Amino acid sequence: YVKALFTSVSNHDIQYRGNIMDTNDGRYIISYSIPMAGNYIVSITLGDEPVKYCVRPSDPRWDSREYDGISVYSSPSFCSLNDNLNLVVVHRELHGFSSTLVDNDIYSGLSNAIVGVETGFIVESRDKFGNIRSGSSTSNIEGIGDGKSDTFLVTLESPSGRKTLSS
C-alpha cells in the first residue's frame, strides 16, 4: 500500500495526503493539491518502508533504470532514501474577493481620519486560497505576480455623496 504525505515545515500539524492510482504495471501515480503556500516535507512509503527518490533520468542515464533480464535490479547511484524531500508550494493568481483590507496603528484610515491629514490603510493581495501574494517562485514555476504590481480600485464616498476613486 502506497502512502504520500506532505507535511508543512512551519507547522508539522498541517499535513496533506496524496491520491494514489495503481497503474497495474508496478507503477503508481500520485496526485495532490495543497491549498497553503509554503515549504513541505514529502514522505512516500510503500507498506511502511520509505521509497527511494530518483531524479528524472537524463542523458546519459536514460536507460540506467531498465531491467536487462539477467542481472538483479539495483538502484542507480543517483537514487537515495532522502527523508527530507522539500516541496515549495507558491501562491496563485490574484483573487480580489479573497484579498483583505487591514487597519493597524500606523495605517488606520479605514476607522479614523482627520481632515487635511494624509492617512491610509493596507490591502493584502491574496489568491483564491487566501495565500498572501508574495512573489514566490520555484526553479520550475515562475511567480504569478509579486503582489506589489497588483492593482485595486478604491472608492471612498463622503456622507454628502462625493466620491474619490484611486488605484
Side-chain angles (χ1 to χ4, degrees):
Y1 144 72
V2 177
K3 180 178 166 186
L5 190 63
F6 304 86
T7 304
S8 171
V9 170
S10 61
N11 182 347
H12 292 285
D13 292 331
I14 299 174
Q15 297 181 335
Y16 300 96
R17 287 186 172 221
N19 299 309
I20 313 297
M21 184 178 80
D22 188 343
T23 60
N24 296 316
D25 64 357
R27 296 181 299 161
Y28 298 87
I29 296 173
I30 300 172
S31 61
Y32 61 92
S33 177
I34 298 176
M36 291 178 55
N39 292 316
Y40 292 83
I41 295 171
V42 180
S43 172
I44 311 296
T45 55
L46 181 57
D48 288 328
E49 296 183 25
V51 175
K52 285 188 177 184
Y53 175 69
C54 300
V55 294
R56 182 177 16 183
S58 58
D59 192 37
R61 300 184 294 202
W62 287 112
D63 298 321
S64 61
R65 292 192 210 176
E66 297 293 323
Y67 176 58
D68 64 10
I70 301 168
S71 306
V72 175
Y73 179 79
S74 63
S75 299
S77 61
F78 55 86
C79 294
S80 68
L81 283 173
N82 186 348
D83 294 338
N84 295 317
L85 292 176
N86 191 43
L87 170 67
V88 178
V89 177
V90 297
H91 62 76
R92 295 214 26 150
E93 54 276 325
L94 176 66
H95 189 251
F97 188 73
S98 299
S99 296
T100 51
L101 300 175
V102 177
D103 221 15
N104 64 21
D105 292 339
I106 298 170
Y107 298 103
S108 60
L110 288 173
S111 57
N112 298 297
I114 299 172
V115 173
V117 176
E118 185 176 324
T119 189
F121 53 89
I122 299 167
V123 178
E124 293 179 335
S125 61
R126 298 179 180 272
D127 66 12
K128 68 180 179 179
F129 297 100
N131 296 299
I132 293 281
R133 291 177 38 77
S134 61
S136 299
S137 62
T138 70
S139 58
N140 298 320
I141 300 172
E142 290 186 28
I144 304 174
D146 60 5
K148 295 175 185 173
S149 61
D150 295 340
T151 58
F152 294 88
L153 177 63
V154 177
T155 305
L156 302 174
E157 187 172 346
S158 72
S160 65
R162 182 173 175 207
K163 291 183 179 181
T164 302
L165 302 176
S166 179
S167 65

